[in-house]
């Protein structure tokens, strides 16, 4: 009994090993898989590879140095089955072999490796050349045993319940011997079920033995029964040993094959890497040459403009000098101010119309600025003359006199013109009106266009100093009467109870008034003081805005900062708010309003002070750095004013801040009826900073993706979660929180750990919300909304170009959504992290300032995780869009194009003969009215429309990569169809050439690698050329196939010959079948080459766009 029990345990262990080995045949380790097959015959030393292949040798693969594959290396003879693969066919491949050729050689090396093992094992060297997998008897037997084992296991699992029930069933009417044999047969089936499928067995080993001995009497031969049961166990054990050996052999063979194929892929990858380095070097060389040429042209143009400006300046100086001379000779002073104000009729004016005509004010201001520069330069020249270094100034007093009277006239004219412009500016601004900055303002709007013209002219006088002063005075007097004209009711409530509602209302009205006025004035400043096309400078709007803010915020008596300081001091004077929630609420309200105001002012300054319509001069390479620096300077000024409102009341703030921030962000999504998925509640923990504040951990509530896809769709996503206000609102809340945290906890080394902990908590919470809860589900839903398959029915071509273009399966809203997600991510980083932006008051600057060594790595890790996860999801969505576009391109180009061409007689001939020559096999004399085929015309129309959406969504680098990939797929679709199904006639070649040019044109919209289209343009000429001129085109005018000229050199011999074979006249039909034309046979014989299409289809992978020549 004990021996039988031990045998059953060994059988169960061996069977489990067999099942595990078969289930994990391709994932088990090398050492475990070959332990029962290779024994102790490990290699003592690997043979050295040949020198030219030593660089690409892997850790396990060796190369055969023999010249023929018939021999057996010594490693196979020494170690028999335990040797590692020794490659031969991959070694014979040239350096520029294609991946398909390398893989084919790898398959031959796999067969050769197994053949050598068999030849050594069976001592039959002939097997090296005659062995095939199909004739391997051992392999067939192993596969047969595996099939039988699986069928037996399936039968046992299906009849498990029946097997267990039969163990308890007692057969009646049988003799004792017959009953024992039936019982043993049933017990053997139960034993197989116990060993091979223990999950279906409801008893253990002892229970199975009890079932065997149950019901036996003392007279029955117990030893015989146990002996037969033991034999059954030994048989099962032998079967499991065979199964383990089969699984081990199969795993070893699979790993050898995998290593050989992996070596082929590695060789191909190294060659591709070397080719890419060469392309990059060429790009850099050509780019430097183009840059030098552009700089030379720009320098020459600048010199020409300088000469032209100098000529105009001399003529105007002569004009002013003539007027000044006339005034001096007549003794009658010119009434410059009166003429400037048009108080004198134009016929009696002595000044040039350039200065008296109000419509030419800007031109006059520019001219006077240049004239003042000449006058200013005179002082330097006079100084040089006095010290002996001058020339003509000291020798001619008449010249000096004329210059001085001209300078006085220029000064008087400048003063009069500036005064006229200031009066006109004040008059127009005082009229007021709605701020409508469209090109066609509605009635009652302020005349901002006239203000802009006046401002551009006034900015030429002392950099607009008087204009700024006049403008700020007008804004203060007309827009802020309650702020700068107090009503004397400031101390009425000092004795009573503090009124929170009244304080909130007072702060709200004050801050809203400042915010609304400044926001509106920022927009006015941007459009009125914005840079013109010539100056290209965007600093003046920021200068005017700073002057306005300086007066509104920092006025020592009535400015906003003084009013807020008075209000905070009144809160501190009320003792009932020194402790408790009431004071905390009051403190939060005060600082919330202040932080919100400064945040809105910064946002308004960044958004409204640089309108895209007027100030996009960055495309000319001007103003970008100046604008950025000016905006940063203005924001630093606002930040300095915000820091002035700091307070020492900080304890207990963190929980309230984090809760309100999380609630506001989630409320933004709930407000537009979005469904949030509720996760398990988070665990609470305590913060370890010096303030010992209990930190609130906000739960992550991601958007429900089924709701986004099913109920909203792309349009709903754009108008809902990806709406600009929705994307911006959480950032506004977060920036407000950061500003409040800085106010509450301070900056610097003192209390720095507390400040860093609070900032890190806020930033980590925002990363979790903006990523996991907000943007990640949206990006995943965008990709899942795309359908890769094209419609089953061919399209009706051509498309109506007066109607919107077909979206090729990718709705334009998809790209708009991606662009908004990308913009949202950049805004998130710019508004919250703001690395290296000194004075921004954002996360990076605060953590650097506090010098907290533990918080910075945590915040950086949150930032990296946010962007890496978002980038991974975005790439998946873009790749899905690329697959969808490729499927619809095939649908239009192939299904649509062939359905258009297979009509009428062509369709009938196609059904009768089964032959279809494609849309380019037009007979001679066919009309060529249409410039392109309907399919190509419709496709290019759709792709150009789609490009606009893609260009707006992707960055230049991503757009280049995406459009290059799309260009290659478009090329592969066209070339595959052309080489496999189409024939081209001389007339059809004209249409094909136009189609290729149209497709190349749309492919060149973006990307940098489109050489495949250039090669195709060269190859298309093969169809337009008569047969007697093909030789010159293919090998050059010398007619030498080895001359290195012609299409054989530029494109390649294989491609040239295969494309030439698609000519309609290349073959003709006879009774015996198709035959090559006489000119084709003669041309091939002259070249001494075979027809690559002679023996059937061509490997189309050789002509893919991604394959390098």
């Amino acid at each position: 009994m004990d021996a039988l029990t031990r045998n059953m345990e060994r059988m169960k262990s061996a069977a489990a090993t067999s099942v595990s080995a078969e289930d994990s045949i391709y994932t088990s380790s090398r050492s475990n898989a070959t332990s029962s097959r290779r024994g102790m015959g490990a290699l003592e030393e690997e043979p050295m590879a040949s020198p030219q292949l030593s660089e690409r040798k892997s850790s396990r693969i060796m190369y055969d140095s023999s010249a023929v594959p018939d021999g057996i290396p010594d490693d196979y003879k020494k170690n028999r089955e335990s040797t590692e693969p020794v490659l031969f066919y991959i070694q014979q491949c040239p350096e520029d072999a294609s991946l398909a050729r390398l893989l084919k050689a790898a398959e031959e090396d796999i067969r050769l490796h197994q053949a050598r093992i068999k030849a050594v094992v069976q001592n039959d060297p002939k097997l090296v050349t005659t062995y095939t997998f199909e004739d391997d008897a051992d392999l067939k037997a192993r596969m047969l045993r595996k099939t039988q084992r699986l069928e037996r296991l399936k039968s046992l699992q299906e009849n498990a319940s029946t097997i267990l029930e039969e163990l308890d069933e007692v057969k009646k009417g049988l003799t004792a011997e017959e009953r024992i044999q039936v019982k043993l047969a049933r017990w053997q089936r139960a034993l197989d079920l116990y060993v091979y499928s223990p999950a279906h067995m409801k008893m253990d080993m002892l229970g199975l033995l009890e079932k065997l001995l149950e019901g036996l009497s003392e007279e029955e031969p117990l030893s015989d029964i146990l002996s037969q049961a033991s034999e059954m166990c030994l048989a099962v054990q032998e079967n499991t040993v065979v199964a383990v050996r089969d699984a081990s052999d199969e795993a070893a063979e699979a790993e050898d094959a995998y290593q050989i194929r992996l070596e082929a892929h590695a060789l191909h990858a190294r060659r591709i890497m070397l080719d890419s380095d060469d392309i990059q070097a060429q790009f850099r060389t050509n780019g430097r040459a183009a840059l030098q040429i552009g700089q030379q042209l720009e320098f020459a143009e600048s010199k020409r403009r300088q000469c032209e400006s100098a000529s105009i300046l001399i003529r105007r100086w002569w004009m002013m000098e003539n007027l000044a001379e006339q005034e001096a000779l007549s003794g009658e002073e010119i009434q410059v101010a009166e003429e400037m104000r048009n108080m004198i009729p134009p016929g009696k004016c002595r000044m040039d119309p350039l200065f008296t005509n109000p419509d030419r004010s800007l031109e006059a201001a520019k001219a006077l600025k240049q004239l003042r520069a000449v006058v200013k330069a005179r002082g330097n020249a006079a100084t040089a003359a006095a010290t002996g270094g001058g020339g003509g100034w000291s020798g001619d007093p008449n010249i000096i006199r004329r210059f001085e009277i001209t300078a006085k006239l220029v000064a008087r004219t400048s003063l009069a013109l500036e005064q006229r412009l200031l009066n006109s500016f004040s008059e127009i601004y005082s009229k007021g009106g709605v701020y409508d900055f469209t090109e066609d303002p509605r009635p009652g709007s302020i005349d901002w266009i006239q203000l802009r013209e006046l401002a551009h002219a006034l900015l030429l006088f002392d950099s607009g100093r008087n204009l700024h002063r006049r403008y700020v005075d007008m804004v203060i007097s007309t827009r802020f009467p309650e702020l700068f004209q107090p009503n004397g009711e400031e101390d009425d409530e000092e004795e009573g109870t503090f009124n929170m509602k009244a304080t909130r209302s007072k702060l709200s009205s004050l801050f809203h008034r400042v915010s609304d006025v400044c926001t509106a004035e920022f927009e006015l400043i941007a459009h009125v003081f914005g840079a013109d096309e010539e100056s290209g400078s965007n600093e003046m709007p920021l200068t005017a805005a700073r002057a306005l803010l300086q007066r509104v915020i920092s006025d020592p008596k009535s400015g906003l900062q003084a009013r807020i300081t008075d209000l905070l001091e009144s809160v501190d004077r009320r003792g009932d708010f020194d402790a408790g929630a009431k004071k905390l609420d009051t403190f939060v309200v005060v600082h919330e309003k202040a932080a919100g105001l400064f945040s809105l002012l910064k946002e308004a300054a960044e958004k409204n002070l640089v309108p895209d319509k007027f100030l996009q001069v960055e495309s000319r390479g001007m103003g970008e750095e100046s604008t950025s620096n000016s905006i940063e300077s203005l924001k630093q000024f606002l930040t300095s004013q915000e820091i002035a409102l700091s307070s020492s009341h900080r304890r207990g703030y963190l929980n309230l801040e984090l809760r309100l921030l999380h609630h506001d962000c989630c409320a933004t999504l709930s407000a537009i009826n979005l469904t949030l998925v509720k996760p398990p509640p988070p665990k609470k923990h305590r913060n370890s900073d010096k303030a010992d504040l209990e930190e609130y951990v906000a739960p992550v509530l991601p958007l429900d993706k089924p709701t986004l896809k099913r109920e909203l769709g792309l349009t709903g996503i754009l108008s809902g979660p990806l709406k600009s206000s929705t994307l911006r609102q959480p950032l506004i809340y977060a920036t407000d929180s950061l500003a409040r945290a800085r106010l509450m906890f301070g900056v610097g080394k003192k209390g720095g750990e507390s400040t860093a902990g609070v900032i890190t908590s806020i930033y980590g919470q925002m990363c979790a919300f903006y990523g996991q809860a907000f943007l990640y589900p949206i990006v995943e839903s965008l990709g899942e909304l795309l359908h890769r398959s094209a419609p089953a029915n061919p399209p009706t071509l051509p498309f109506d170009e007066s109607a919107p273009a077909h979206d090729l399966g990718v709705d334009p809203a998809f790209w708009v959504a991606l662009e908004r997600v990308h913009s949202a991510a950049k805004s998130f980083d710019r508004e919250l992290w703001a690395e290296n932006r000194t004075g921004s008051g954002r996360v990076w600057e605060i953590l650097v300032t506090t010098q907290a060594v533990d918080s910075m790595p945590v915040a950086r890790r949150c930032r990296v995780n946010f962007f890496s996860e978002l980038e991974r999801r975005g790439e998946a969505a873009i790749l899905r869009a690329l697959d969808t576009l490729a499927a619809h391109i095939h649908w239009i180009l192939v299904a649509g194009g062939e359905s258009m061409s297979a009509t009428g007689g062509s369709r009938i001939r196609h059904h009768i003969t089964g032959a279809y020559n494609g849309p380019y096999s037009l007979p001679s004399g066919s009309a060529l009215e249409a410039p392109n085929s309907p399919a190509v015309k419709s496709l290019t129309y759709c792709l150009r429309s789609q490009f606009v959406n893609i260009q707006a969504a992707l960055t230049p680098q991503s757009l280049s990569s995406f459009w290059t990939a799309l260009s290659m797929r478009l090329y592969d679709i066209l070339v595959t169809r052309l080489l496999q199904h189409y024939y081209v006639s001389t007339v059809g070649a004209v249409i094909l050439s136009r189609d290729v040019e149209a497709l190349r044109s749309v492919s060149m919209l973006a990307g940098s690698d489109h050489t495949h289209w250039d090669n195709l343009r060269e190859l298309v000429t093969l169809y337009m050329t008569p047969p007697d001129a093909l030789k010159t085109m293919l090998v050059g005018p010398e007619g030498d196939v080895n001359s290195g000229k012609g299409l054989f050199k530029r494109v390649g011999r294989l491609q040239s010959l295969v494309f030439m074979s698609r000519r309609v006249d290349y073959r003709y039909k006879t009774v015996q079948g198709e035959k090559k034309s006489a000119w084709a046979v003669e041309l091939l014989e002259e070249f001494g080459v075979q027809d690559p299409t002679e023996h059937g289809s061509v490997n189309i992978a050789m002509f893919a766009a991604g394959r390098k020549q």
Side-chain angles (χ1 to χ4, degrees):
M1 180 69 74
D2 295 339
L4 181 60
T5 302
R6 287 193 297 272
N7 285 337
M8 292 185 68
E9 287 295 339
R10 286 196 298 271
M11 285 188 302
K12 182 176 181 182
S13 175
T17 304
S18 173
V19 172
S20 175
E22 291 182 357
D23 291 343
S24 60
I25 187 170
Y26 296 110
T27 59
S28 61
S29 65
R30 179 76 174 180
S31 59
N32 292 333
T34 58
S35 60
S36 65
R37 172 174 174 260
R38 300 189 173 179
M40 299 299 293
L43 294 176
E44 296 180 358
E45 181 179 0
E46 293 184 351
M48 294 298 294
S50 58
Q52 63 271 22
L53 297 175
S54 60
E55 294 182 358
R56 57 184 190 181
K57 177 182 174 184
S58 66
S59 59
R60 295 187 63 251
I61 297 296
M62 296 178 290
Y63 288 89
D64 193 348
S65 59
S66 61
V68 294
D70 299 341
I72 301 177
D74 295 339
D75 289 324
Y76 288 87
K77 298 177 181 179
K78 294 178 182 179
N79 304 302
R80 297 172 65 85
E81 298 180 358
S82 62
T83 186
E84 301 295 347
V86 179
L87 305 185
F88 175 81
Y89 290 99
I90 291 180
Q91 179 186 11
Q92 302 301 321
C93 292
E95 291 294 335
D96 59 346
S98 64
L99 180 61
R101 183 170 179 180
L102 288 172
L103 291 178
K104 184 177 180 181
E107 296 299 329
E108 290 295 329
D109 276 325
I110 293 172
R111 184 204 64 79
L112 180 61
H113 175 63
Q114 295 300 324
R116 287 169 171 174
I117 293 177
K118 291 293 182 181
V120 173
V121 173
Q122 299 180 13
N123 196 18
D124 186 1
K126 295 181 179 180
L127 288 177
V128 175
T129 57
T130 62
Y131 173 81
T132 61
F133 291 106
E134 292 79 7
D135 299 334
D136 191 343
D138 294 339
L139 179 61
K140 292 181 180 179
R142 187 174 69 201
M143 298 306 296
L144 179 61
R145 289 194 298 270
K146 181 178 179 180
T147 303
Q148 292 175 350
R149 285 195 299 271
L150 294 177
E151 292 177 352
R152 184 176 183 183
L153 177 62
K154 181 179 180 181
S155 176
L156 290 173
Q157 292 176 348
E158 292 177 350
N159 301 318
S161 59
T162 303
I163 293 172
L164 295 177
E165 292 174 358
E166 290 179 348
L167 284 177
D168 298 328
E169 183 180 354
V170 179
K171 284 282 187 176
K172 297 182 179 180
L174 302 177
T175 63
E177 183 177 357
E178 291 175 343
R179 189 170 64 256
I180 290 174
Q181 294 302 322
V182 170
K183 192 175 187 67
L184 283 173
R186 293 177 176 178
W187 190 81
Q188 183 176 7
R189 297 185 65 190
L191 174 64
D192 292 340
L193 181 64
Y194 174 77
V195 173
Y196 292 112
S197 183
H200 294 81
M201 195 68 180
K202 299 180 179 179
M203 63 183 69
D204 56 6
M205 180 184 62
L206 294 178
L208 189 62
L209 290 175
E210 291 177 359
K211 291 292 183 181
L212 175 63
L213 302 178
E214 184 178 350
L216 296 178
S217 61
E218 296 180 358
E219 292 79 8
E220 293 176 331
L222 181 60
S223 61
D224 293 342
I225 294 174
L226 294 178
S227 176
Q228 295 182 36
S230 177
E231 292 176 358
M232 295 177 187
C233 295
L234 292 176
V236 172
Q237 183 179 6
E238 291 177 359
N239 291 335
T240 56
V241 171
V242 173
V244 171
R245 184 170 58 250
D246 290 346
S248 175
D249 293 343
E250 188 172 356
E253 293 174 2
E255 177 151 353
D256 289 339
Y258 171 78
Q259 291 292 339
I260 294 173
R261 295 190 185 98
L262 183 62
E263 181 68 11
H265 281 279
L267 294 176
H268 183 70
R270 291 190 185 98
R271 186 179 61 80
I272 294 298
M273 182 179 66
L274 294 176
D275 292 344
S276 64
D277 292 339
D278 295 340
I279 293 174
Q280 184 179 10
Q282 294 177 3
F283 174 77
R284 290 178 177 176
T285 301
N286 297 335
R288 285 192 294 267
L291 181 61
Q292 292 176 357
I293 294 173
Q295 290 175 349
Q296 293 173 359
L297 293 175
E298 184 179 359
F299 178 76
E301 178 63 19
S302 65
K303 291 299 182 182
R304 187 196 64 79
R305 289 196 300 266
Q306 289 177 2
C307 295
E308 184 179 355
S309 300
S311 176
I312 296 174
L313 177 60
I314 291 173
R315 289 196 299 270
R316 286 174 176 169
W317 178 264
W318 286 346
M319 176 190 67
M320 295 298 293
E321 188 179 49
N322 187 30
L323 285 176
E325 190 69 22
Q326 292 177 7
E327 182 183 31
L329 293 176
S330 63
E332 183 180 355
E333 184 178 359
I334 300 176
Q335 298 178 355
V336 177
E338 289 76 7
E339 291 186 8
M340 289 290 182
R341 295 197 299 268
N342 294 326
M343 298 175 63
I344 299 177
K348 297 182 179 181
C349 290
R350 300 171 62 183
M351 298 291 296
D352 190 90
L354 173 65
F355 305 109
T356 59
N357 188 358
D359 296 335
R360 302 178 65 183
S361 298
L362 181 58
E363 183 181 359
K366 292 180 179 179
L368 288 173
K369 182 178 181 181
Q370 293 176 342
L371 294 175
R372 291 195 302 271
V374 174
V375 174
K376 184 177 180 180
R378 185 259 181 182
N380 297 332
T383 303
T387 57
W393 288 104
S394 60
D396 193 347
N398 186 39
I399 294 178
I400 298 176
R401 180 190 62 81
R402 291 168 58 189
F403 190 92
E404 290 177 352
I405 61 175
T406 305
K408 293 178 181 179
L409 181 59
V410 169
R412 288 161 51 202
T413 306
S414 299
L415 181 61
L417 179 59
E418 182 181 14
Q419 192 62 38
R420 187 188 74 188
L421 295 175
L422 287 173
N423 294 336
S424 300
F425 188 92
S426 301
E427 182 181 354
I428 296 174
Y429 185 85
S430 300
K431 292 180 181 179
V434 181
Y435 284 2
D436 183 4
F437 299 103
T438 59
E439 294 182 357
D440 187 15
R442 59 182 182 270
S445 301
I446 192 169
D447 192 359
W448 66 273
I449 297 179
Q450 186 64 27
L451 288 177
R452 177 182 176 82
E453 294 176 356
L454 294 172
H456 282 170
L458 285 168
L459 291 176
L460 299 174
F461 296 94
D462 197 14
S463 300
R465 188 183 305 274
N466 294 329
L467 172 63
H468 296 156
R469 186 181 299 109
R470 178 73 64 90
Y471 168 71
V472 171
D473 291 340
M474 288 189 296
V475 172
I476 293 301
S477 60
T478 58
R479 306 292 191 224
F480 294 107
E482 70 277 12
L483 186 63
F484 287 86
Q485 297 178 6
N487 52 13
E489 297 180 359
E490 299 178 359
D491 300 328
D492 292 348
E493 299 180 357
E494 206 168 280
E495 297 297 333
T497 304
F498 182 78
N499 190 337
M500 174 65 69
K501 185 177 181 179
T503 302
R504 183 186 296 272
S505 176
K506 185 176 180 181
L507 287 173
S508 298
S509 60
L510 180 60
F511 292 159
H512 287 170
R513 180 63 177 170
V514 174
S515 175
D516 294 342
V517 171
C518 290
T519 302
E521 294 302 320
F522 284 167
E523 192 172 6
L524 178 67
I525 290 172
H527 288 82
V528 171
F529 296 90
D532 56 7
E533 296 181 355
E534 295 183 4
S535 65
S537 174
N538 295 326
E539 296 182 1
M540 290 305 170
L542 283 303
T543 304
R546 183 182 179 90
L548 177 61
L549 291 173
Q550 182 76 27
R551 182 74 179 276
V552 173
I553 297 176
S554 303
D555 189 85
K557 184 177 180 181
S558 301
L560 182 63
Q561 183 173 349
R563 292 302 181 91
I564 293 177
T565 302
D566 294 340
L567 183 59
L568 292 176
E569 291 177 355
S570 66
V571 173
D572 293 335
R573 288 196 295 268
R574 291 169 171 83
D576 52 342
F577 287 96
D578 290 340
K582 195 172 183 179
K583 184 175 181 181
L584 177 61
D585 292 340
T586 305
F587 180 78
V588 171
V589 167
V590 171
H591 289 274
E592 177 188 8
K593 295 299 180 180
L597 172 63
F598 285 102
S599 177
L600 291 175
L601 289 177
K602 294 176 184 178
E603 181 181 357
E606 189 170 5
K607 177 182 178 182
N608 296 336
L609 286 176
V610 188
D612 296 335
K613 186 175 181 181
F614 293 100
L615 300 182
Q616 283 186 344
V617 296
E618 289 83 356
S619 61
R620 305 199 306 265
M622 301 166 57
E624 182 177 5
E625 183 177 359
S626 175
T627 301
S628 176
N629 295 336
S630 300
I631 291 179
E632 290 301 323
S633 177
L634 184 62
K635 292 172 68 175
Q636 289 178 8
F637 168 74
L638 290 172
T639 301
S640 65
Q641 302 302 315
E642 188 178 2
I643 293 175
L645 302 177
S646 299
S647 177
S648 60
H649 304 281
R650 303 176 303 190
R651 187 178 298 274
Y653 161 77
L654 179 59
N655 278 344
L656 178 60
E657 183 59 57
L658 293 178
R659 288 179 186 274
L660 289 177
L661 177 60
H662 182 261
H663 171 75
D664 291 337
C665 292
C666 294
T668 302
L669 304 182
S670 300
I672 55 177
N673 299 323
L674 293 178
T675 303
L676 304 178
V677 180
K678 183 178 180 181
K683 296 182 179 180
K684 294 184 178 180
H685 64 278
R686 297 185 62 84
N687 194 9
S688 59
D689 60 2
K690 294 181 179 180
D692 195 24
L693 298 175
E694 183 179 356
E695 182 176 347
Y696 166 77
V697 179
V700 178
L701 307 177
L703 293 176
D704 186 43
K705 291 196 293 184
T707 302
L708 294 175
K709 295 184 291 185
R710 183 178 60 254
E711 299 180 7
L712 296 182
L714 287 173
T715 305
I717 291 175
L718 285 176
S719 60
L722 290 185
K723 191 176 180 181
S724 59
S725 59
T726 306
L727 292 171
R728 189 174 62 253
Q729 198 60 44
L731 302 183
I732 294 176
Y733 292 142
T735 53
D736 292 344
S737 299
L738 292 176
R740 288 195 297 270
R742 193 173 183 182
L743 287 170
M744 303 290 182
F745 290 85
V747 294
K749 295 183 179 180
K750 184 177 181 181
E753 292 293 336
S754 299
T755 304
V758 173
I759 296 300
T760 304
S761 300
I762 294 175
Y763 184 70
Q765 180 173 305
M766 281 303 300
C767 287
F769 169 79
Y770 219 69
Q772 301 175 30
F774 193 17
L775 295 183
Y776 294 174
I778 293 176
V779 175
E780 293 173 356
S781 301
L782 291 177
E784 295 171 3
L785 283 171
L786 298 179
H787 302 286
R788 292 192 178 98
S789 59
N793 298 325
T796 302
L797 301 178
F799 293 152
D800 185 10
E801 294 189 4
S802 62
H806 193 280
D807 59 9
L808 300 180
V810 182
D811 195 282
F814 171 83
W815 301 109
V816 177
L818 278 186
E819 191 275 334
R820 291 190 183 178
V821 170
H822 180 65
S823 299
K826 291 196 299 184
S827 298
F828 178 83
D829 193 60
R830 182 179 62 251
E831 294 296 331
L832 297 188
W833 184 254
E835 186 168 354
N836 294 326
R837 284 175 53 189
T838 306
S840 63
R842 299 297 189 262
V843 175
W844 180 85
E845 184 189 21
I846 296 175
L847 295 181
V848 169
T849 305
T850 55
Q851 300 181 6
V853 296
D854 296 330
S855 299
M856 180 62 80
V858 176
R860 286 190 181 277
R861 187 162 52 249
C862 292
R863 179 172 178 254
V864 171
N865 292 339
F866 169 80
F867 282 100
S868 59
E869 287 298 319
L870 182 61
E871 182 179 3
R872 181 176 63 84
R873 290 168 170 82
E875 289 177 353
I878 293 175
L879 290 177
R880 190 178 181 96
L882 179 61
D883 295 339
T884 304
L885 290 174
H888 284 75
I889 289 174
H890 188 276
W891 174 61
I892 294 176
L893 199 60
V894 177
E898 293 180 1
S899 66
M900 286 290 296
S901 60
T903 57
S906 231
R907 184 189 294 265
I908 295 173
R909 180 164 59 86
H910 173 60
H911 285 295
I912 292 175
T913 64
Y916 174 66
N917 292 336
Y920 302 111
S921 59
L922 301 177
S924 300
S926 299
L928 296 175
E929 298 175 357
N932 297 108
S933 61
V936 172
K937 180 180 179 182
S938 302
L939 179 60
T940 54
Y941 170 61
C942 296
L943 286 176
R944 289 184 183 276
S945 300
Q946 191 68 246
F947 176 79
V948 177
N949 304 321
I950 299 174
Q951 185 181 30
L954 302 182
T955 61
Q957 182 180 1
S958 300
L959 174 65
S960 177
S961 301
F962 180 89
W963 203 253
T964 300
L966 185 63
S967 170
M968 290 184 177
R969 295 200 182 189
L970 175 59
Y971 174 91
D972 292 342
I973 292 172
L974 177 62
V975 170
T976 299
R977 207 64 185 174
L978 176 63
L979 297 183
Q980 291 183 342
H981 300 280
Y982 296 165
Y983 288 90
V984 186
S985 64
T986 304
V987 179
V990 178
I991 300 298
L992 176 59
S993 177
R994 295 173 180 174
D995 289 348
V996 170
E997 190 63 32
L999 294 176
R1000 177 182 177 274
S1001 177
V1002 76
S1003 298
M1004 295 290 289
L1005 291 175
S1008 57
D1009 187 8
H1010 300 290
T1011 55
H1012 45 278
W1013 288 108
D1014 298 332
N1015 294 337
L1016 184 57
R1017 285 201 304 177
E1018 296 285 341
L1019 291 169
V1020 168
T1021 58
L1022 291 172
Y1023 306 120
M1024 303 179 184
T1025 307
D1028 55 350
L1030 285 175
K1031 182 177 181 181
T1032 302
M1033 288 193 59
L1034 292 173
V1035 299
E1038 293 83 0
D1040 184 9
V1041 70
N1042 298 318
S1043 64
K1045 298 180 181 179
L1047 290 178
F1048 278 10
K1049 172 63 176 178
R1050 294 194 297 271
V1051 182
R1053 178 181 298 180
L1054 177 63
Q1055 290 207 13
S1056 301
L1057 294 177
V1058 172
F1059 272 83
M1060 185 181 68
S1061 68
R1062 307 310 296 179
R1063 290 175 60 107
V1064 170
D1065 57 348
Y1066 188 83
R1067 291 183 175 89
Y1068 64 94
K1069 294 183 179 179
T1070 64
V1071 178
Q1072 291 81 12
E1074 289 189 347
K1075 290 187 176 181
K1076 287 195 292 291
S1077 300
W1079 66 264
V1081 176
E1082 180 181 357
L1083 188 63
L1084 293 175
E1085 290 177 354
E1086 290 181 8
F1087 292 159
V1089 296
Q1090 295 183 352
D1091 185 2
T1093 63
E1094 184 72 26
H1095 303 290
S1097 60
V1098 180
N1099 183 8
I1100 201 64
M1102 301 290 292
F1103 304 89
R1107 182 180 180 272
K1108 304 299 181 182
Q1109 298 298 328

